[in-house]
Amino acid sequence: KQRLYSGMQPSADSLQAGNYIGALLQWRKMQDEYDAFFSVVDLHALTQPNDPAELREKTRRTAAQYIAAGIEPSRSTLYVQSHVRAHAELAWILSTITGFGEAGRMTQFKDKSQRYGADATSVGLFTYPVLMAADILLYKTDVVPVGDDQKQHVELTRDLAERFNGRFGETFVVPKPVIQAETARIYDLQEPTSKMSKSAESQAGVLWLLDEPSVTAKKIMRAVTDSDGTVRYDRAEKPGVSNLLTIYSALTGRPVAEIEDEYAGRGYGDFKKGLRDVVVAEFEPVRARALELLDDPAELDRVLAANADRAAEVADATLATVYERVGLLRRG
Ligand code: AQP
């Protein structure tokens, strides 16, 4: 089996519908075909200011939502990044072969540093893509499913793998990004031209996986549409309705055209009610399962520890080869 690696930041108490549709649903499908590693990337989350107790809680909650959404820790390796020390260690080695200018060209850094301002922009935010390269390369990963916003980071990872292999001998597998289709991209329900995000300023347009069903229902019924009145996909002219159609189609597996036909001649109210039922039916069991898992944190921690051991076995072997290749003296 080919190997797959992906992760999410524990940057909120709950994941949002974009994380679920754009990532978790794909991961769940792909775990049959691949030897999959799914990480809760808590070291990455440190690049934003965090309350320590909250970060710990968010990390557990994120892991619980992976499992509740169908990632099976007995089949896939589902672990917390900081539990495997090799991530930080390989990131250091890779940082020594990354050009300063090369890292400076990462558009996500440019965007985020502008948003955070000079005082909140850390060296860690700058080297974030190098840590991501370490995550991927440690596992000899073949494929990395990511959103198109992460494509540049996977390109950097490929460059670093090739550079390292060229300088020190074949060590890393050069991974391929699997970019999500535009149809898997979910936008904010109140601002349908911005992507739905855990760190959105307003929560009104974010569907949280752990929201109470009544809250989810309200948010859908209040979603921004347009005055045209026809349920039709047109991303440019009708971003609100198109986004709702994307969610409907992604969760039911039905083509958008079929849903447009079903609601032809009916108003947005009917369409939203239909979508509300679909989303609530999908999220409710996931939410219930996640809360159940969180009720027994000791058991959850045990599962995560066992999976971290499995991950560390692979990662430590890669790191040992890397240390050897770059000329670090082996401890006697
Ligand atoms: N709106 C979205 N539509 C489709 N996919 C999405 N993803 C995130 N938002 C959407 C996918 O979810 C995974 C999460 O990655 P992440 O936690 O590293 O950060 P992100 O992509 O920046 O997601 P968020 O929710 O917007 O987090 P914050 O606010 O913390 O930055 C990725 O696979 C991503 O493509």
Side-chain angles (χ1 to χ4, degrees), residues 216-234:
T216 303
K218 241 182 245 151
K219 284 181 180 167
I220 292 171
M221 296 311 291
R222 286 180 190 160
V224 164
T225 50
D226 51 56
S227 54
D228 161 57
T230 49
V231 177
R232 184 168 52 80
Y233 189 94
D234 181 342

mmCIF file with all atom_site columns, all heavy atoms in Angstrom, residues 216-234:
data_model
loop_
_atom_site.group_PDB
_atom_site.id
_atom_site.type_symbol
_atom_site.label_atom_id
_atom_site.label_alt_id
_atom_site.label_comp_id
_atom_site.label_asym_id
_atom_site.label_entity_id
_atom_site.label_seq_id
_atom_site.pdbx_PDB_ins_code
_atom_site.Cartn_x
_atom_site.Cartn_y
_atom_site.Cartn_z
_atom_site.occupancy
_atom_site.B_iso_or_equiv
_atom_site.pdbx_formal_charge
_atom_site.auth_seq_id
_atom_site.auth_comp_id
_atom_site.auth_asym_id
_atom_site.auth_atom_id
_atom_site.pdbx_PDB_model_num
ATOM 1   N N   . THR A 1 216 ? -27.113 24.424 14.591  1.00 0.00 ? 216 THR A N   1
ATOM 2   C CA  . THR A 1 216 ? -26.782 24.129 13.186  1.00 0.00 ? 216 THR A CA  1
ATOM 3   C C   . THR A 1 216 ? -27.970 24.509 12.297  1.00 0.00 ? 216 THR A C   1
ATOM 4   O O   . THR A 1 216 ? -27.804 25.182 11.273  1.00 0.00 ? 216 THR A O   1
ATOM 5   C CB  . THR A 1 216 ? -26.491 22.621 13.026  1.00 0.00 ? 216 THR A CB  1
ATOM 6   O OG1 . THR A 1 216 ? -25.430 22.284 13.921  1.00 0.00 ? 216 THR A OG1 1
ATOM 7   C CG2 . THR A 1 216 ? -26.096 22.260 11.610  1.00 0.00 ? 216 THR A CG2 1
ATOM 8   N N   . ALA A 1 217 ? -29.157 24.112 12.714  1.00 0.00 ? 217 ALA A N   1
ATOM 9   C CA  . ALA A 1 217 ? -30.358 24.383 11.924  1.00 0.00 ? 217 ALA A CA  1
ATOM 10  C C   . ALA A 1 217 ? -30.548 25.886 11.727  1.00 0.00 ? 217 ALA A C   1
ATOM 11  O O   . ALA A 1 217 ? -30.788 26.356 10.610  1.00 0.00 ? 217 ALA A O   1
ATOM 12  C CB  . ALA A 1 217 ? -31.575 23.775 12.620  1.00 0.00 ? 217 ALA A CB  1
ATOM 13  N N   . LYS A 1 218 ? -30.386 26.631 12.809  1.00 0.00 ? 218 LYS A N   1
ATOM 14  C CA  . LYS A 1 218 ? -30.575 28.086 12.730  1.00 0.00 ? 218 LYS A CA  1
ATOM 15  C C   . LYS A 1 218 ? -29.572 28.720 11.759  1.00 0.00 ? 218 LYS A C   1
ATOM 16  O O   . LYS A 1 218 ? -29.912 29.586 10.964  1.00 0.00 ? 218 LYS A O   1
ATOM 17  C CB  . LYS A 1 218 ? -30.397 28.689 14.129  1.00 0.00 ? 218 LYS A CB  1
ATOM 18  C CG  . LYS A 1 218 ? -31.654 29.380 14.613  1.00 0.00 ? 218 LYS A CG  1
ATOM 19  C CD  . LYS A 1 218 ? -31.442 30.015 15.974  1.00 0.00 ? 218 LYS A CD  1
ATOM 20  C CE  . LYS A 1 218 ? -32.322 29.324 17.004  1.00 0.00 ? 218 LYS A CE  1
ATOM 21  N NZ  . LYS A 1 218 ? -31.781 29.332 18.364  1.00 0.00 ? 218 LYS A NZ  1
ATOM 22  N N   . LYS A 1 219 ? -28.330 28.276 11.860  1.00 0.00 ? 219 LYS A N   1
ATOM 23  C CA  . LYS A 1 219 ? -27.294 28.870 11.003  1.00 0.00 ? 219 LYS A CA  1
ATOM 24  C C   . LYS A 1 219 ? -27.594 28.610 9.532   1.00 0.00 ? 219 LYS A C   1
ATOM 25  O O   . LYS A 1 219 ? -27.363 29.472 8.684   1.00 0.00 ? 219 LYS A O   1
ATOM 26  C CB  . LYS A 1 219 ? -25.921 28.295 11.360  1.00 0.00 ? 219 LYS A CB  1
ATOM 27  C CG  . LYS A 1 219 ? -25.355 28.872 12.652  1.00 0.00 ? 219 LYS A CG  1
ATOM 28  C CD  . LYS A 1 219 ? -23.996 28.282 12.938  1.00 0.00 ? 219 LYS A CD  1
ATOM 29  C CE  . LYS A 1 219 ? -23.425 28.849 14.237  1.00 0.00 ? 219 LYS A CE  1
ATOM 30  N NZ  . LYS A 1 219 ? -22.250 28.069 14.679  1.00 0.00 ? 219 LYS A NZ  1
ATOM 31  N N   . ILE A 1 220 ? -28.125 27.423 9.236   1.00 0.00 ? 220 ILE A N   1
ATOM 32  C CA  . ILE A 1 220 ? -28.433 27.108 7.832   1.00 0.00 ? 220 ILE A CA  1
ATOM 33  C C   . ILE A 1 220 ? -29.621 27.942 7.350   1.00 0.00 ? 220 ILE A C   1
ATOM 34  O O   . ILE A 1 220 ? -29.591 28.520 6.269   1.00 0.00 ? 220 ILE A O   1
ATOM 35  C CB  . ILE A 1 220 ? -28.691 25.602 7.658   1.00 0.00 ? 220 ILE A CB  1
ATOM 36  C CG1 . ILE A 1 220 ? -27.377 24.848 7.893   1.00 0.00 ? 220 ILE A CG1 1
ATOM 37  C CG2 . ILE A 1 220 ? -29.259 25.295 6.265   1.00 0.00 ? 220 ILE A CG2 1
ATOM 38  C CD1 . ILE A 1 220 ? -27.514 23.354 7.965   1.00 0.00 ? 220 ILE A CD1 1
ATOM 39  N N   . MET A 1 221 ? -30.642 28.040 8.198   1.00 0.00 ? 221 MET A N   1
ATOM 40  C CA  . MET A 1 221 ? -31.831 28.801 7.789   1.00 0.00 ? 221 MET A CA  1
ATOM 41  C C   . MET A 1 221 ? -31.491 30.284 7.588   1.00 0.00 ? 221 MET A C   1
ATOM 42  O O   . MET A 1 221 ? -32.156 30.970 6.820   1.00 0.00 ? 221 MET A O   1
ATOM 43  C CB  . MET A 1 221 ? -32.964 28.635 8.812   1.00 0.00 ? 221 MET A CB  1
ATOM 44  C CG  . MET A 1 221 ? -33.508 27.197 8.953   1.00 0.00 ? 221 MET A CG  1
ATOM 45  S SD  . MET A 1 221 ? -33.923 26.342 7.410   1.00 0.00 ? 221 MET A SD  1
ATOM 46  C CE  . MET A 1 221 ? -35.349 27.265 6.854   1.00 0.00 ? 221 MET A CE  1
ATOM 47  N N   . ARG A 1 222 ? -30.450 30.752 8.278   1.00 0.00 ? 222 ARG A N   1
ATOM 48  C CA  . ARG A 1 222 ? -30.076 32.173 8.161   1.00 0.00 ? 222 ARG A CA  1
ATOM 49  C C   . ARG A 1 222 ? -28.952 32.413 7.152   1.00 0.00 ? 222 ARG A C   1
ATOM 50  O O   . ARG A 1 222 ? -28.442 33.532 7.041   1.00 0.00 ? 222 ARG A O   1
ATOM 51  C CB  . ARG A 1 222 ? -29.608 32.695 9.520   1.00 0.00 ? 222 ARG A CB  1
ATOM 52  C CG  . ARG A 1 222 ? -30.766 32.899 10.451  1.00 0.00 ? 222 ARG A CG  1
ATOM 53  C CD  . ARG A 1 222 ? -30.285 33.421 11.785  1.00 0.00 ? 222 ARG A CD  1
ATOM 54  N NE  . ARG A 1 222 ? -31.384 33.382 12.741  1.00 0.00 ? 222 ARG A NE  1
ATOM 55  C CZ  . ARG A 1 222 ? -31.221 33.399 14.058  1.00 0.00 ? 222 ARG A CZ  1
ATOM 56  N NH1 . ARG A 1 222 ? -30.003 33.452 14.569  1.00 0.00 ? 222 ARG A NH1 1
ATOM 57  N NH2 . ARG A 1 222 ? -32.262 33.356 14.853  1.00 0.00 ? 222 ARG A NH2 1
ATOM 58  N N   . ALA A 1 223 ? -28.537 31.362 6.452   1.00 0.00 ? 223 ALA A N   1
ATOM 59  C CA  . ALA A 1 223 ? -27.419 31.518 5.511   1.00 0.00 ? 223 ALA A CA  1
ATOM 60  C C   . ALA A 1 223 ? -27.753 32.560 4.441   1.00 0.00 ? 223 ALA A C   1
ATOM 61  O O   . ALA A 1 223 ? -28.899 32.670 4.005   1.00 0.00 ? 223 ALA A O   1
ATOM 62  C CB  . ALA A 1 223 ? -27.118 30.173 4.854   1.00 0.00 ? 223 ALA A CB  1
ATOM 63  N N   . VAL A 1 224 ? -26.740 33.296 4.048   1.00 0.00 ? 224 VAL A N   1
ATOM 64  C CA  . VAL A 1 224 ? -26.913 34.334 3.025   1.00 0.00 ? 224 VAL A CA  1
ATOM 65  C C   . VAL A 1 224 ? -27.182 33.681 1.668   1.00 0.00 ? 224 VAL A C   1
ATOM 66  O O   . VAL A 1 224 ? -26.515 32.707 1.298   1.00 0.00 ? 224 VAL A O   1
ATOM 67  C CB  . VAL A 1 224 ? -25.612 35.186 2.938   1.00 0.00 ? 224 VAL A CB  1
ATOM 68  C CG1 . VAL A 1 224 ? -25.575 36.012 1.658   1.00 0.00 ? 224 VAL A CG1 1
ATOM 69  C CG2 . VAL A 1 224 ? -25.496 36.082 4.154   1.00 0.00 ? 224 VAL A CG2 1
ATOM 70  N N   . THR A 1 225 ? -28.188 34.193 0.950   1.00 0.00 ? 225 THR A N   1
ATOM 71  C CA  . THR A 1 225 ? -28.436 33.692 -0.413  1.00 0.00 ? 225 THR A CA  1
ATOM 72  C C   . THR A 1 225 ? -28.396 34.887 -1.373  1.00 0.00 ? 225 THR A C   1
ATOM 73  O O   . THR A 1 225 ? -27.417 35.623 -1.371  1.00 0.00 ? 225 THR A O   1
ATOM 74  C CB  . THR A 1 225 ? -29.787 32.953 -0.508  1.00 0.00 ? 225 THR A CB  1
ATOM 75  O OG1 . THR A 1 225 ? -30.804 33.764 0.070   1.00 0.00 ? 225 THR A OG1 1
ATOM 76  C CG2 . THR A 1 225 ? -29.740 31.614 0.198   1.00 0.00 ? 225 THR A CG2 1
ATOM 77  N N   . ASP A 1 226 ? -29.438 35.065 -2.177  1.00 0.00 ? 226 ASP A N   1
ATOM 78  C CA  . ASP A 1 226 ? -29.501 36.198 -3.104  1.00 0.00 ? 226 ASP A CA  1
ATOM 79  C C   . ASP A 1 226 ? -30.975 36.444 -3.419  1.00 0.00 ? 226 ASP A C   1
ATOM 80  O O   . ASP A 1 226 ? -31.847 35.750 -2.891  1.00 0.00 ? 226 ASP A O   1
ATOM 81  C CB  . ASP A 1 226 ? -28.701 35.900 -4.387  1.00 0.00 ? 226 ASP A CB  1
ATOM 82  C CG  . ASP A 1 226 ? -29.086 34.563 -4.990  1.00 0.00 ? 226 ASP A CG  1
ATOM 83  O OD1 . ASP A 1 226 ? -30.285 34.360 -5.278  1.00 0.00 ? 226 ASP A OD1 1
ATOM 84  O OD2 . ASP A 1 226 ? -28.203 33.694 -5.154  1.00 0.00 ? 226 ASP A OD2 1
ATOM 85  N N   . SER A 1 227 ? -31.244 37.409 -4.295  1.00 0.00 ? 227 SER A N   1
ATOM 86  C CA  . SER A 1 227 ? -32.646 37.755 -4.533  1.00 0.00 ? 227 SER A CA  1
ATOM 87  C C   . SER A 1 227 ? -33.195 37.087 -5.792  1.00 0.00 ? 227 SER A C   1
ATOM 88  O O   . SER A 1 227 ? -34.345 37.292 -6.160  1.00 0.00 ? 227 SER A O   1
ATOM 89  C CB  . SER A 1 227 ? -32.785 39.274 -4.637  1.00 0.00 ? 227 SER A CB  1
ATOM 90  O OG  . SER A 1 227 ? -31.880 39.724 -5.620  1.00 0.00 ? 227 SER A OG  1
ATOM 91  N N   . ASP A 1 228 ? -32.377 36.250 -6.413  1.00 0.00 ? 228 ASP A N   1
ATOM 92  C CA  . ASP A 1 228 ? -32.772 35.621 -7.678  1.00 0.00 ? 228 ASP A CA  1
ATOM 93  C C   . ASP A 1 228 ? -33.837 34.534 -7.470  1.00 0.00 ? 228 ASP A C   1
ATOM 94  O O   . ASP A 1 228 ? -34.746 34.364 -8.299  1.00 0.00 ? 228 ASP A O   1
ATOM 95  C CB  . ASP A 1 228 ? -31.485 35.083 -8.334  1.00 0.00 ? 228 ASP A CB  1
ATOM 96  C CG  . ASP A 1 228 ? -31.722 34.033 -9.391  1.00 0.00 ? 228 ASP A CG  1
ATOM 97  O OD1 . ASP A 1 228 ? -32.448 34.348 -10.334 1.00 0.00 ? 228 ASP A OD1 1
ATOM 98  O OD2 . ASP A 1 228 ? -31.185 32.923 -9.273  1.00 0.00 ? 228 ASP A OD2 1
ATOM 99  N N   . GLY A 1 229 ? -33.745 33.825 -6.368  1.00 0.00 ? 229 GLY A N   1
ATOM 100 C CA  . GLY A 1 229 ? -34.809 32.882 -6.013  1.00 0.00 ? 229 GLY A CA  1
ATOM 101 C C   . GLY A 1 229 ? -34.734 31.499 -6.642  1.00 0.00 ? 229 GLY A C   1
ATOM 102 O O   . GLY A 1 229 ? -35.551 30.649 -6.329  1.00 0.00 ? 229 GLY A O   1
ATOM 103 N N   . THR A 1 230 ? -33.732 31.232 -7.514  1.00 0.00 ? 230 THR A N   1
ATOM 104 C CA  . THR A 1 230 ? -33.639 29.880 -8.083  1.00 0.00 ? 230 THR A CA  1
ATOM 105 C C   . THR A 1 230 ? -32.440 29.143 -7.506  1.00 0.00 ? 230 THR A C   1
ATOM 106 O O   . THR A 1 230 ? -31.365 29.710 -7.355  1.00 0.00 ? 230 THR A O   1
ATOM 107 C CB  . THR A 1 230 ? -33.498 29.889 -9.628  1.00 0.00 ? 230 THR A CB  1
ATOM 108 O OG1 . THR A 1 230 ? -32.466 30.807 -9.973  1.00 0.00 ? 230 THR A OG1 1
ATOM 109 C CG2 . THR A 1 230 ? -34.790 30.275 -10.311 1.00 0.00 ? 230 THR A CG2 1
ATOM 110 N N   . VAL A 1 231 ? -32.696 27.868 -7.198  1.00 0.00 ? 231 VAL A N   1
ATOM 111 C CA  . VAL A 1 231 ? -31.630 27.027 -6.642  1.00 0.00 ? 231 VAL A CA  1
ATOM 112 C C   . VAL A 1 231 ? -30.770 26.555 -7.810  1.00 0.00 ? 231 VAL A C   1
ATOM 113 O O   . VAL A 1 231 ? -31.089 25.606 -8.514  1.00 0.00 ? 231 VAL A O   1
ATOM 114 C CB  . VAL A 1 231 ? -32.227 25.833 -5.873  1.00 0.00 ? 231 VAL A CB  1
ATOM 115 C CG1 . VAL A 1 231 ? -31.120 24.930 -5.352  1.00 0.00 ? 231 VAL A CG1 1
ATOM 116 C CG2 . VAL A 1 231 ? -33.109 26.317 -4.729  1.00 0.00 ? 231 VAL A CG2 1
ATOM 117 N N   . ARG A 1 232 ? -29.678 27.267 -8.026  1.00 0.00 ? 232 ARG A N   1
ATOM 118 C CA  . ARG A 1 232 ? -28.827 26.996 -9.184  1.00 0.00 ? 232 ARG A CA  1
ATOM 119 C C   . ARG A 1 232 ? -27.368 27.278 -8.809  1.00 0.00 ? 232 ARG A C   1
ATOM 120 O O   . ARG A 1 232 ? -27.090 28.229 -8.098  1.00 0.00 ? 232 ARG A O   1
ATOM 121 C CB  . ARG A 1 232 ? -29.269 27.912 -10.338 1.00 0.00 ? 232 ARG A CB  1
ATOM 122 C CG  . ARG A 1 232 ? -28.563 27.694 -11.657 1.00 0.00 ? 232 ARG A CG  1
ATOM 123 C CD  . ARG A 1 232 ? -29.293 28.457 -12.770 1.00 0.00 ? 232 ARG A CD  1
ATOM 124 N NE  . ARG A 1 232 ? -29.507 29.873 -12.444 1.00 0.00 ? 232 ARG A NE  1
ATOM 125 C CZ  . ARG A 1 232 ? -28.567 30.826 -12.566 1.00 0.00 ? 232 ARG A CZ  1
ATOM 126 N NH1 . ARG A 1 232 ? -27.375 30.545 -13.011 1.00 0.00 ? 232 ARG A NH1 1
ATOM 127 N NH2 . ARG A 1 232 ? -28.835 32.083 -12.223 1.00 0.00 ? 232 ARG A NH2 1
ATOM 128 N N   . TYR A 1 233 ? -26.466 26.401 -9.280  1.00 0.00 ? 233 TYR A N   1
ATOM 129 C CA  . TYR A 1 233 ? -25.050 26.562 -8.964  1.00 0.00 ? 233 TYR A CA  1
ATOM 130 C C   . TYR A 1 233 ? -24.432 27.583 -9.903  1.00 0.00 ? 233 TYR A C   1
ATOM 131 O O   . TYR A 1 233 ? -24.445 27.413 -11.117 1.00 0.00 ? 233 TYR A O   1
ATOM 132 C CB  . TYR A 1 233 ? -24.311 25.211 -9.096  1.00 0.00 ? 233 TYR A CB  1
ATOM 133 C CG  . TYR A 1 233 ? -22.900 25.273 -8.572  1.00 0.00 ? 233 TYR A CG  1
ATOM 134 C CD1 . TYR A 1 233 ? -22.596 24.900 -7.264  1.00 0.00 ? 233 TYR A CD1 1
ATOM 135 C CD2 . TYR A 1 233 ? -21.855 25.730 -9.379  1.00 0.00 ? 233 TYR A CD2 1
ATOM 136 C CE1 . TYR A 1 233 ? -21.301 24.973 -6.778  1.00 0.00 ? 233 TYR A CE1 1
ATOM 137 C CE2 . TYR A 1 233 ? -20.559 25.813 -8.887  1.00 0.00 ? 233 TYR A CE2 1
ATOM 138 C CZ  . TYR A 1 233 ? -20.285 25.430 -7.597  1.00 0.00 ? 233 TYR A CZ  1
ATOM 139 O OH  . TYR A 1 233 ? -18.996 25.504 -7.114  1.00 0.00 ? 233 TYR A OH  1
ATOM 140 N N   . ASP A 1 234 ? -23.889 28.649 -9.312  1.00 0.00 ? 234 ASP A N   1
ATOM 141 C CA  . ASP A 1 234 ? -23.162 29.657 -10.083 1.00 0.00 ? 234 ASP A CA  1
ATOM 142 C C   . ASP A 1 234 ? -22.248 30.372 -9.088  1.00 0.00 ? 234 ASP A C   1
ATOM 143 O O   . ASP A 1 234 ? -22.649 31.308 -8.406  1.00 0.00 ? 234 ASP A O   1
ATOM 144 C CB  . ASP A 1 234 ? -24.164 30.630 -10.730 1.00 0.00 ? 234 ASP A CB  1
ATOM 145 C CG  . ASP A 1 234 ? -23.476 31.697 -11.569 1.00 0.00 ? 234 ASP A CG  1
ATOM 146 O OD1 . ASP A 1 234 ? -22.254 31.913 -11.398 1.00 0.00 ? 234 ASP A OD1 1
ATOM 147 O OD2 . ASP A 1 234 ? -24.173 32.315 -12.393 1.00 0.00 ? 234 ASP A OD2 1
#
